[in-house]
Each structure stands twice: as C-alpha cells, then as structure tokens.
Amino acid sequence: MKKLLLFTVLLFFAYQNYAFANLTIFDENKKFGIKDKSQNVIVEAKYNKIIRLGDNAFIVQKKSKFGIIDKNGNILVPAKYRHAERVLGKYAKLGNYGDFGLYDETGFAILPPSYDSIELLFGGMLLTYDNYLYGVSDFKGRVLLENKFDDIYMPKPNIMRIQYQGQWYEIEQVSSQTLTLPEDITAVKGSDDFKVTNIVVNTGVVSGYSVLTFTDYLIKLISSISPAHEDTIDQLMFSQGAETVSIFVKLTWLPMYPVRYARNYYKYIRNPNNGPLSTVRNKLKSKMK
C-alpha cells in the first residue's frame, strides 16, 4: 500500500513537471527565450530574464519591467512592473510603488494591484498594507481583515496581535498550532477555538488583561529592523528579478540607494498610525478622552 502511494505521488509530480521537462530556456545575444523538445522556438529571445512560475508560466523581464507569460509565450500580465517576487513557487508579487498585486500562474490577480506592500504570514495568510493601514487576506483573494488597522504582526504561528485606534488586541487559536482566521472575523468572539484578549502597554499587574511586555516588542523589533532600509533593499532586489545575490555582487544598487532610502524613510516618518511618534500620539489621545 505504501509503495503504491509513493508511486502515485511520484507519478503526480512527474506529470506536473512534464510540460517544463520538454521546454528549455536558451540565450541569444544576451537575451532569453524558450524552445520545445524539438528545439523549435516557442518564445523568441527577447527577455532579459525568464523565471519559472508554478507549472504553466514564467515571470519575464523585458528591459527593466516584469510581467508573466504562459509556456506558449502568451502574455498573461504585461511587463509593466519594476518589482517581481516569486511567492511559494507558484505566485508572483508584482508592483511599482503603491500598486503591488498578487498573481497566480494563470495571470489572475488574486489581490488587485493596489497595495503599498504584500507580505506572507503564517497559516497561508497575507499581510496587506495600504494608505498606512494593515489588513489580512488569503490566497483565495478573500479579505479577512480590511485595511483599517494601525499594526498587525504574528509573534507565533497561532497568535496574531492587532493594533486598532491605539489599542492592542490578541487573537489566539487555542485548538491549533497555526492560526486560521475565518472569513467572518466576528465569529472568533463566540468560538471556543479562539481566545480574544485586550492587551495594555504597561508593566506590573493589570487585572483582567494581558501585558504587552518588552519581549513582545523585541520580537517585533527584530523582525522589522530599520524598515526603511529593508524596504529599500527589497525594492532594489526585486528590480533585479528576485536574484538576491546579483545586487550585492554587481553593486549596481549603490547609486540608487540614497534616493530610494530617503523616500522610504519619509514614508515611515509621516505614518500617522504606526510611525515613530504614534506611541506618544496614542497616549495623548487616551488622556484627552
């Protein structure tokens, strides 16, 4: 029985890779194209880069812009984006500045190209950032949390911490090691699977509340050291087509770094919800109530 199961799995993967096994990427005059097993040219050598996407498509770079084509060379997403990142091998995050979207290998926009950033979370969820506010979606394109939250992060796979109007809340899925938010987020309140807690930013004993400790903030700090710097490096890497080594080897990013960093730093400074002055602002708000 085990041998039969193993054979079935191997057969499945062999079938999934069949189309690509019969295709080869060739270069001509420092450009790349695609040939079939008979060496017939399917896609002319006109792309700067060709990166496999899932089982039926490729991320391609034409001049300095990225898009998606299928295995026959048909354009699924026009090459109009400066940044490209492959997510979990079969999804592509494409965008410029403020119009990031997530696409599958058919070119379908799972998340529309309207976000400032899209990042991967635990449990097959996606953290979206739009107009200084965070939200959560899934790989089916369903919006689990609308973009109306000051901050969202996950210190553990089964715990999500959310800041809304200066107040912190924690959602813990006690029945599983990985958090899976329902499409109707209001269902967590009456469910035995979830524990929802208010968190206060104070030390000492606080009756009826959890305490957001220094360790919690340290986890968050380590996971996002110098966000302006990280955004700048990420953007420059993505403009190289997801080749995370070439940008450091070639050092072509150095002339672009100062201007791009200044732009990202300004974005974080003027963030009204989660910028450097947000803690002071929230304390003042609470005192004025």
Side-chain angles (χ1 to χ4, degrees):
M1 183 66 182
K2 291 182 178 179
K3 290 183 178 179
L4 178 61
L5 179 61
L6 178 60
F7 176 75
T8 304
V9 172
L10 292 174
L11 186 64
F12 171 78
F13 281 109
Y15 174 78
Q16 290 293 316
N17 289 303
Y18 175 78
F20 280 99
N22 291 282
L23 298 177
T24 57
I25 297 174
F26 72 98
D27 65 285
E28 185 177 284
N29 298 323
K30 297 183 178 180
K31 300 290 184 180
F32 296 92
I34 302 174
K35 292 181 179 180
D36 63 16
K37 63 179 180 179
S38 300
Q39 296 302 299
N40 298 313
V41 176
I42 299 175
V43 179
E44 295 182 5
K46 59 182 179 180
Y47 294 108
N48 293 2
K49 292 178 183 176
I50 298 179
I51 304 167
R52 177 175 172 173
L53 182 66
D55 297 312
N56 297 289
F58 297 90
I59 298 173
V60 293
Q61 181 185 24
K62 192 171 185 179
K63 295 183 179 180
S64 62
K65 302 295 182 65
F66 294 92
I68 301 174
I69 64 171
D70 66 15
K71 60 187 178 184
N72 297 314
N74 298 313
I75 296 175
L76 302 178
V77 179
K80 61 180 181 179
Y81 297 106
R82 292 186 177 275
H83 310 293
E85 180 184 4
R86 191 170 57 176
V87 180
L88 300 180
K90 60 180 180 179
Y91 303 99
K93 182 171 69 174
L94 304 175
N96 293 304
Y97 305 105
D99 63 349
F100 280 90
L102 186 75
Y103 299 84
D104 64 15
E105 59 185 290
T106 69
F108 175 73
I110 298 172
L111 296 180
S114 60
Y115 295 99
D116 294 326
S117 70
I118 300 171
E119 302 298 337
L120 188 64
L121 287 174
F122 292 113
M125 295 183 291
L126 296 158
L127 179 67
T128 58
Y129 185 57
D130 184 31
N131 195 26
Y132 301 112
L133 294 172
Y134 291 90
V136 176
S137 296
D138 63 15
F139 279 95
K140 294 182 179 179
R142 297 178 301 186
V143 177
L144 305 179
L145 292 175
E146 295 182 8
N147 290 85
K148 58 173 64 175
F149 299 94
D150 305 339
D151 198 1
I152 296 174
Y153 77 103
M154 296 183 70
K156 296 180 180 179
N158 67 326
I159 293 177
M160 178 177 288
R161 291 204 168 117
I162 302 170
Q163 186 182 33
Y164 181 64
Q165 294 183 350
Q167 299 295 316
W168 282 95
Y169 304 89
E170 179 179 278
I171 300 175
E172 178 182 2
Q173 189 159 6
V174 295
S175 61
S176 174
Q177 293 183 345
T178 304
L179 177 67
T180 304
L181 290 179
E183 187 172 1
D184 182 7
I185 190 63
T186 60
V188 301
K189 290 186 177 180
S191 173
D192 294 334
D193 293 337
F194 296 94
K195 178 183 177 183
V196 182
T197 313
N198 289 77
I199 306 175
V200 294
V201 189
N202 284 316
T203 57
V205 179
V206 184
S207 177
Y209 293 90
S210 297
V211 177
L212 198 64
T213 64
F214 173 75
T215 304
D216 297 319
Y217 275 115
L218 188 60
I219 292 173
K220 187 171 184 294
L221 181 64
I222 293 174
S223 66
S224 58
I225 295 174
S226 186
H229 169 74
E230 285 196 345
D231 276 2
T232 303
I233 293 298
D234 286 348
Q235 290 167 6
L236 293 174
M237 281 183 179
F238 298 157
S239 68
Q240 300 294 316
E243 290 188 2
T244 57
V245 177
S246 65
I247 187 172
F248 293 106
V249 174
K250 297 178 181 178
L251 298 179
T252 55
W253 57 280
L254 281 175
M256 298 180 285
Y257 182 88
V259 174
R260 192 70 59 82
Y261 178 83
R263 180 188 300 164
N264 288 324
Y265 185 76
Y266 177 70
K267 179 184 72 175
Y268 279 97
I269 284 294
R270 64 188 295 264
N271 186 337
N273 305 305
N274 196 31
L277 300 177
S278 62
T279 303
V280 177
R281 187 184 299 109
N282 291 330
K283 286 182 178 180
L284 290 174
K285 284 182 179 179
S286 63
K287 290 182 179 180
M288 293 175 64
K289 289 181 180 180

PDB file of all heavy atoms in Angstrom, residues 75-102:
ATOM      1  N   ILE A  75       1.063  36.376 -23.421  1.00  0.00           N
ATOM      2  CA  ILE A  75       1.201  37.334 -22.325  1.00  0.00           C
ATOM      3  C   ILE A  75       0.003  37.239 -21.392  1.00  0.00           C
ATOM      4  O   ILE A  75      -1.149  37.425 -21.813  1.00  0.00           O
ATOM      5  CB  ILE A  75       1.337  38.770 -22.867  1.00  0.00           C
ATOM      6  CG1 ILE A  75       2.624  38.900 -23.689  1.00  0.00           C
ATOM      7  CG2 ILE A  75       1.337  39.778 -21.722  1.00  0.00           C
ATOM      8  CD1 ILE A  75       2.791  40.244 -24.366  1.00  0.00           C
ATOM      9  N   LEU A  76       0.269  36.926 -20.143  1.00  0.00           N
ATOM     10  CA  LEU A  76      -0.782  36.852 -19.126  1.00  0.00           C
ATOM     11  C   LEU A  76      -0.885  38.158 -18.343  1.00  0.00           C
ATOM     12  O   LEU A  76      -1.975  38.624 -18.033  1.00  0.00           O
ATOM     13  CB  LEU A  76      -0.509  35.683 -18.174  1.00  0.00           C
ATOM     14  CG  LEU A  76      -0.395  34.299 -18.822  1.00  0.00           C
ATOM     15  CD1 LEU A  76      -0.069  33.250 -17.750  1.00  0.00           C
ATOM     16  CD2 LEU A  76      -1.673  33.939 -19.552  1.00  0.00           C
ATOM     17  N   VAL A  77       0.267  38.719 -17.999  1.00  0.00           N
ATOM     18  CA  VAL A  77       0.342  40.024 -17.335  1.00  0.00           C
ATOM     19  C   VAL A  77       1.400  40.830 -18.078  1.00  0.00           C
ATOM     20  O   VAL A  77       2.550  40.403 -18.167  1.00  0.00           O
ATOM     21  CB  VAL A  77       0.727  39.898 -15.844  1.00  0.00           C
ATOM     22  CG1 VAL A  77       0.824  41.282 -15.206  1.00  0.00           C
ATOM     23  CG2 VAL A  77      -0.281  39.040 -15.095  1.00  0.00           C
ATOM     24  N   PRO A  78       1.038  41.985 -18.649  1.00  0.00           N
ATOM     25  CA  PRO A  78       2.013  42.786 -19.411  1.00  0.00           C
ATOM     26  C   PRO A  78       3.223  43.161 -18.555  1.00  0.00           C
ATOM     27  O   PRO A  78       3.102  43.360 -17.348  1.00  0.00           O
ATOM     28  CB  PRO A  78       1.211  44.033 -19.809  1.00  0.00           C
ATOM     29  CG  PRO A  78      -0.221  43.609 -19.750  1.00  0.00           C
ATOM     30  CD  PRO A  78      -0.302  42.600 -18.638  1.00  0.00           C
ATOM     31  N   ALA A  79       4.381  43.241 -19.173  1.00  0.00           N
ATOM     32  CA  ALA A  79       5.611  43.619 -18.474  1.00  0.00           C
ATOM     33  C   ALA A  79       5.620  45.118 -18.227  1.00  0.00           C
ATOM     34  O   ALA A  79       6.137  45.901 -19.012  1.00  0.00           O
ATOM     35  CB  ALA A  79       6.828  43.200 -19.298  1.00  0.00           C
ATOM     36  N   LYS A  80       5.034  45.520 -17.091  1.00  0.00           N
ATOM     37  CA  LYS A  80       4.923  46.935 -16.753  1.00  0.00           C
ATOM     38  C   LYS A  80       5.310  47.231 -15.304  1.00  0.00           C
ATOM     39  O   LYS A  80       5.158  48.362 -14.832  1.00  0.00           O
ATOM     40  CB  LYS A  80       3.507  47.436 -17.032  1.00  0.00           C
ATOM     41  CG  LYS A  80       2.428  46.719 -16.228  1.00  0.00           C
ATOM     42  CD  LYS A  80       1.043  47.279 -16.561  1.00  0.00           C
ATOM     43  CE  LYS A  80      -0.040  46.601 -15.745  1.00  0.00           C
ATOM     44  NZ  LYS A  80      -1.389  47.169 -16.045  1.00  0.00           N
ATOM     45  N   TYR A  81       5.805  46.212 -14.605  1.00  0.00           N
ATOM     46  CA  TYR A  81       6.132  46.388 -13.192  1.00  0.00           C
ATOM     47  C   TYR A  81       7.639  46.349 -12.965  1.00  0.00           C
ATOM     48  O   TYR A  81       8.347  45.543 -13.565  1.00  0.00           O
ATOM     49  CB  TYR A  81       5.449  45.303 -12.358  1.00  0.00           C
ATOM     50  CG  TYR A  81       3.944  45.362 -12.407  1.00  0.00           C
ATOM     51  CD1 TYR A  81       3.217  44.431 -13.138  1.00  0.00           C
ATOM     52  CD2 TYR A  81       3.258  46.371 -11.745  1.00  0.00           C
ATOM     53  CE1 TYR A  81       1.825  44.493 -13.192  1.00  0.00           C
ATOM     54  CE2 TYR A  81       1.875  46.447 -11.790  1.00  0.00           C
ATOM     55  CZ  TYR A  81       1.164  45.507 -12.517  1.00  0.00           C
ATOM     56  OH  TYR A  81      -0.205  45.585 -12.581  1.00  0.00           O
ATOM     57  N   ARG A  82       8.116  47.193 -12.064  1.00  0.00           N
ATOM     58  CA  ARG A  82       9.546  47.273 -11.778  1.00  0.00           C
ATOM     59  C   ARG A  82      10.014  46.217 -10.786  1.00  0.00           C
ATOM     60  O   ARG A  82      11.198  45.927 -10.702  1.00  0.00           O
ATOM     61  CB  ARG A  82       9.901  48.666 -11.232  1.00  0.00           C
ATOM     62  CG  ARG A  82       9.754  49.785 -12.258  1.00  0.00           C
ATOM     63  CD  ARG A  82      10.264  51.101 -11.713  1.00  0.00           C
ATOM     64  NE  ARG A  82      10.183  52.150 -12.727  1.00  0.00           N
ATOM     65  CZ  ARG A  82      11.105  52.374 -13.651  1.00  0.00           C
ATOM     66  NH1 ARG A  82      12.189  51.613 -13.680  1.00  0.00           N
ATOM     67  NH2 ARG A  82      10.961  53.335 -14.530  1.00  0.00           N
ATOM     68  N   HIS A  83       9.103  45.663 -10.008  1.00  0.00           N
ATOM     69  CA  HIS A  83       9.477  44.710  -8.964  1.00  0.00           C
ATOM     70  C   HIS A  83       8.739  43.400  -9.170  1.00  0.00           C
ATOM     71  O   HIS A  83       7.546  43.382  -9.445  1.00  0.00           O
ATOM     72  CB  HIS A  83       9.166  45.268  -7.576  1.00  0.00           C
ATOM     73  CG  HIS A  83       9.690  46.645  -7.362  1.00  0.00           C
ATOM     74  ND1 HIS A  83      11.029  46.937  -7.310  1.00  0.00           N
ATOM     75  CD2 HIS A  83       9.044  47.827  -7.200  1.00  0.00           C
ATOM     76  CE1 HIS A  83      11.190  48.237  -7.121  1.00  0.00           C
ATOM     77  NE2 HIS A  83       9.999  48.791  -7.060  1.00  0.00           N
ATOM     78  N   ALA A  84       9.472  42.299  -9.003  1.00  0.00           N
ATOM     79  CA  ALA A  84       8.895  40.969  -9.131  1.00  0.00           C
ATOM     80  C   ALA A  84       9.457  40.055  -8.057  1.00  0.00           C
ATOM     81  O   ALA A  84      10.661  40.035  -7.817  1.00  0.00           O
ATOM     82  CB  ALA A  84       9.189  40.391 -10.512  1.00  0.00           C
ATOM     83  N   GLU A  85       8.567  39.330  -7.416  1.00  0.00           N
ATOM     84  CA  GLU A  85       8.998  38.368  -6.398  1.00  0.00           C
ATOM     85  C   GLU A  85       8.138  37.120  -6.530  1.00  0.00           C
ATOM     86  O   GLU A  85       6.910  37.212  -6.608  1.00  0.00           O
ATOM     87  CB  GLU A  85       8.852  38.959  -4.997  1.00  0.00           C
ATOM     88  CG  GLU A  85       9.296  37.993  -3.903  1.00  0.00           C
ATOM     89  CD  GLU A  85       9.050  38.564  -2.514  1.00  0.00           C
ATOM     90  OE1 GLU A  85       8.471  39.662  -2.413  1.00  0.00           O
ATOM     91  OE2 GLU A  85       9.424  37.904  -1.534  1.00  0.00           O
ATOM     92  N   ARG A  86       8.780  35.964  -6.558  1.00  0.00           N
ATOM     93  CA  ARG A  86       8.038  34.704  -6.606  1.00  0.00           C
ATOM     94  C   ARG A  86       7.687  34.293  -5.188  1.00  0.00           C
ATOM     95  O   ARG A  86       8.550  34.264  -4.308  1.00  0.00           O
ATOM     96  CB  ARG A  86       8.881  33.637  -7.298  1.00  0.00           C
ATOM     97  CG  ARG A  86       8.116  32.376  -7.644  1.00  0.00           C
ATOM     98  CD  ARG A  86       8.924  31.469  -8.536  1.00  0.00           C
ATOM     99  NE  ARG A  86      10.203  31.115  -7.925  1.00  0.00           N
ATOM    100  CZ  ARG A  86      11.064  30.281  -8.470  1.00  0.00           C
ATOM    101  NH1 ARG A  86      10.808  29.745  -9.648  1.00  0.00           N
ATOM    102  NH2 ARG A  86      12.201  29.994  -7.868  1.00  0.00           N
ATOM    103  N   VAL A  87       6.415  33.965  -4.953  1.00  0.00           N
ATOM    104  CA  VAL A  87       5.929  33.614  -3.621  1.00  0.00           C
ATOM    105  C   VAL A  87       5.488  32.158  -3.629  1.00  0.00           C
ATOM    106  O   VAL A  87       4.628  31.759  -4.431  1.00  0.00           O
ATOM    107  CB  VAL A  87       4.756  34.521  -3.204  1.00  0.00           C
ATOM    108  CG1 VAL A  87       4.242  34.142  -1.812  1.00  0.00           C
ATOM    109  CG2 VAL A  87       5.168  35.985  -3.238  1.00  0.00           C
ATOM    110  N   LEU A  88       6.091  31.348  -2.760  1.00  0.00           N
ATOM    111  CA  LEU A  88       5.775  29.926  -2.632  1.00  0.00           C
ATOM    112  C   LEU A  88       5.895  29.178  -3.957  1.00  0.00           C
ATOM    113  O   LEU A  88       5.232  28.154  -4.167  1.00  0.00           O
ATOM    114  CB  LEU A  88       4.361  29.739  -2.051  1.00  0.00           C
ATOM    115  CG  LEU A  88       4.113  30.341  -0.662  1.00  0.00           C
ATOM    116  CD1 LEU A  88       2.686  30.093  -0.225  1.00  0.00           C
ATOM    117  CD2 LEU A  88       5.091  29.772   0.359  1.00  0.00           C
ATOM    118  N   GLY A  89       6.692  29.695  -4.856  1.00  0.00           N
ATOM    119  CA  GLY A  89       6.977  28.999  -6.098  1.00  0.00           C
ATOM    120  C   GLY A  89       5.948  29.142  -7.199  1.00  0.00           C
ATOM    121  O   GLY A  89       6.268  29.007  -8.373  1.00  0.00           O
ATOM    122  N   LYS A  90       4.689  29.437  -6.840  1.00  0.00           N
ATOM    123  CA  LYS A  90       3.630  29.454  -7.852  1.00  0.00           C
ATOM    124  C   LYS A  90       2.811  30.739  -7.891  1.00  0.00           C
ATOM    125  O   LYS A  90       1.825  30.825  -8.623  1.00  0.00           O
ATOM    126  CB  LYS A  90       2.708  28.254  -7.660  1.00  0.00           C
ATOM    127  CG  LYS A  90       2.014  28.192  -6.311  1.00  0.00           C
ATOM    128  CD  LYS A  90       1.129  26.954  -6.232  1.00  0.00           C
ATOM    129  CE  LYS A  90       0.415  26.858  -4.888  1.00  0.00           C
ATOM    130  NZ  LYS A  90      -0.465  25.667  -4.832  1.00  0.00           N
ATOM    131  N   TYR A  91       3.204  31.717  -7.102  1.00  0.00           N
ATOM    132  CA  TYR A  91       2.547  33.017  -7.134  1.00  0.00           C
ATOM    133  C   TYR A  91       3.590  34.096  -7.421  1.00  0.00           C
ATOM    134  O   TYR A  91       4.765  33.930  -7.097  1.00  0.00           O
ATOM    135  CB  TYR A  91       1.844  33.326  -5.806  1.00  0.00           C
ATOM    136  CG  TYR A  91       0.821  32.297  -5.395  1.00  0.00           C
ATOM    137  CD1 TYR A  91       1.134  31.308  -4.461  1.00  0.00           C
ATOM    138  CD2 TYR A  91      -0.458  32.307  -5.949  1.00  0.00           C
ATOM    139  CE1 TYR A  91       0.200  30.356  -4.090  1.00  0.00           C
ATOM    140  CE2 TYR A  91      -1.401  31.352  -5.573  1.00  0.00           C
ATOM    141  CZ  TYR A  91      -1.059  30.384  -4.646  1.00  0.00           C
ATOM    142  OH  TYR A  91      -1.985  29.437  -4.284  1.00  0.00           O
ATOM    143  N   ALA A  92       3.148  35.175  -8.012  1.00  0.00           N
ATOM    144  CA  ALA A  92       4.059  36.281  -8.317  1.00  0.00           C
ATOM    145  C   ALA A  92       3.530  37.564  -7.706  1.00  0.00           C
ATOM    146  O   ALA A  92       2.360  37.915  -7.903  1.00  0.00           O
ATOM    147  CB  ALA A  92       4.212  36.447  -9.824  1.00  0.00           C
ATOM    148  N   LYS A  93       4.392  38.229  -6.949  1.00  0.00           N
ATOM    149  CA  LYS A  93       4.052  39.553  -6.428  1.00  0.00           C
ATOM    150  C   LYS A  93       4.699  40.577  -7.354  1.00  0.00           C
ATOM    151  O   LYS A  93       5.915  40.637  -7.472  1.00  0.00           O
ATOM    152  CB  LYS A  93       4.551  39.715  -4.993  1.00  0.00           C
ATOM    153  CG  LYS A  93       4.176  41.062  -4.376  1.00  0.00           C
ATOM    154  CD  LYS A  93       4.504  41.106  -2.890  1.00  0.00           C
ATOM    155  CE  LYS A  93       5.982  41.117  -2.629  1.00  0.00           C
ATOM    156  NZ  LYS A  93       6.303  41.307  -1.189  1.00  0.00           N
ATOM    157  N   LEU A  94       3.882  41.353  -8.026  1.00  0.00           N
ATOM    158  CA  LEU A  94       4.360  42.344  -8.983  1.00  0.00           C
ATOM    159  C   LEU A  94       3.892  43.725  -8.560  1.00  0.00           C
ATOM    160  O   LEU A  94       2.795  43.874  -8.019  1.00  0.00           O
ATOM    161  CB  LEU A  94       3.832  42.044 -10.391  1.00  0.00           C
ATOM    162  CG  LEU A  94       4.132  40.659 -10.985  1.00  0.00           C
ATOM    163  CD1 LEU A  94       3.431  40.504 -12.328  1.00  0.00           C
ATOM    164  CD2 LEU A  94       5.627  40.450 -11.135  1.00  0.00           C
ATOM    165  N   GLY A  95       4.721  44.742  -8.803  1.00  0.00           N
ATOM    166  CA  GLY A  95       4.286  46.090  -8.458  1.00  0.00           C
ATOM    167  C   GLY A  95       5.336  47.131  -8.758  1.00  0.00           C
ATOM    168  O   GLY A  95       6.476  46.826  -9.108  1.00  0.00           O
ATOM    169  N   ASN A  96       4.937  48.368  -8.624  1.00  0.00           N
ATOM    170  CA  ASN A  96       5.834  49.512  -8.745  1.00  0.00           C
ATOM    171  C   ASN A  96       5.950  50.156  -7.377  1.00  0.00           C
ATOM    172  O   ASN A  96       6.544  49.609  -6.475  1.00  0.00           O
ATOM    173  CB  ASN A  96       5.311  50.486  -9.806  1.00  0.00           C
ATOM    174  CG  ASN A  96       5.380  49.878 -11.198  1.00  0.00           C
ATOM    175  OD1 ASN A  96       6.436  49.461 -11.647  1.00  0.00           O
ATOM    176  ND2 ASN A  96       4.243  49.812 -11.879  1.00  0.00           N
ATOM    177  N   TYR A  97       5.312  51.283  -7.167  1.00  0.00           N
ATOM    178  CA  TYR A  97       5.285  51.935  -5.855  1.00  0.00           C
ATOM    179  C   TYR A  97       3.829  52.221  -5.513  1.00  0.00           C
ATOM    180  O   TYR A  97       3.218  53.140  -6.042  1.00  0.00           O
ATOM    181  CB  TYR A  97       6.083  53.236  -5.872  1.00  0.00           C
ATOM    182  CG  TYR A  97       7.511  53.051  -6.334  1.00  0.00           C
ATOM    183  CD1 TYR A  97       7.894  53.451  -7.599  1.00  0.00           C
ATOM    184  CD2 TYR A  97       8.455  52.447  -5.506  1.00  0.00           C
ATOM    185  CE1 TYR A  97       9.195  53.273  -8.035  1.00  0.00           C
ATOM    186  CE2 TYR A  97       9.757  52.261  -5.937  1.00  0.00           C
ATOM    187  CZ  TYR A  97      10.122  52.675  -7.204  1.00  0.00           C
ATOM    188  OH  TYR A  97      11.409  52.490  -7.641  1.00  0.00           O
ATOM    189  N   GLY A  98       3.262  51.406  -4.638  1.00  0.00           N
ATOM    190  CA  GLY A  98       1.877  51.625  -4.256  1.00  0.00           C
ATOM    191  C   GLY A  98       0.882  50.867  -5.092  1.00  0.00           C
ATOM    192  O   GLY A  98      -0.327  51.072  -4.942  1.00  0.00           O
ATOM    193  N   ASP A  99       1.335  49.978  -5.981  1.00  0.00           N
ATOM    194  CA  ASP A  99       0.380  49.195  -6.765  1.00  0.00           C
ATOM    195  C   ASP A  99       0.807  47.729  -6.850  1.00  0.00           C
ATOM    196  O   ASP A  99       0.797  47.120  -7.902  1.00  0.00           O
ATOM    197  CB  ASP A  99       0.205  49.778  -8.165  1.00  0.00           C
ATOM    198  CG  ASP A  99       1.485  49.760  -8.992  1.00  0.00           C
ATOM    199  OD1 ASP A  99       2.550  49.485  -8.416  1.00  0.00           O
ATOM    200  OD2 ASP A  99       1.399  50.001 -10.205  1.00  0.00           O
ATOM    201  N   PHE A 100       1.165  47.140  -5.695  1.00  0.00           N
ATOM    202  CA  PHE A 100       1.531  45.737  -5.655  1.00  0.00           C
ATOM    203  C   PHE A 100       0.284  44.862  -5.710  1.00  0.00           C
ATOM    204  O   PHE A 100      -0.732  45.153  -5.071  1.00  0.00           O
ATOM    205  CB  PHE A 100       2.313  45.409  -4.382  1.00  0.00           C
ATOM    206  CG  PHE A 100       3.764  45.799  -4.453  1.00  0.00           C
ATOM    207  CD1 PHE A 100       4.178  47.058  -4.039  1.00  0.00           C
ATOM    208  CD2 PHE A 100       4.701  44.923  -4.959  1.00  0.00           C
ATOM    209  CE1 PHE A 100       5.507  47.424  -4.120  1.00  0.00           C
ATOM    210  CE2 PHE A 100       6.045  45.275  -5.043  1.00  0.00           C
ATOM    211  CZ  PHE A 100       6.449  46.530  -4.626  1.00  0.00           C
ATOM    212  N   GLY A 101       0.386  43.784  -6.483  1.00  0.00           N
ATOM    213  CA  GLY A 101      -0.685  42.808  -6.566  1.00  0.00           C
ATOM    214  C   GLY A 101      -0.099  41.412  -6.515  1.00  0.00           C
ATOM    215  O   GLY A 101       1.105  41.221  -6.705  1.00  0.00           O
ATOM    216  N   LEU A 102      -0.949  40.409  -6.260  1.00  0.00           N
ATOM    217  CA  LEU A 102      -0.507  39.024  -6.217  1.00  0.00           C
ATOM    218  C   LEU A 102      -1.214  38.251  -7.320  1.00  0.00           C
ATOM    219  O   LEU A 102      -2.451  38.280  -7.414  1.00  0.00           O
ATOM    220  CB  LEU A 102      -0.820  38.399  -4.859  1.00  0.00           C
ATOM    221  CG  LEU A 102      -0.264  36.991  -4.654  1.00  0.00           C
ATOM    222  CD1 LEU A 102       1.249  37.046  -4.420  1.00  0.00           C
ATOM    223  CD2 LEU A 102      -0.942  36.291  -3.481  1.00  0.00           C
TER     224      LEU A 102
END
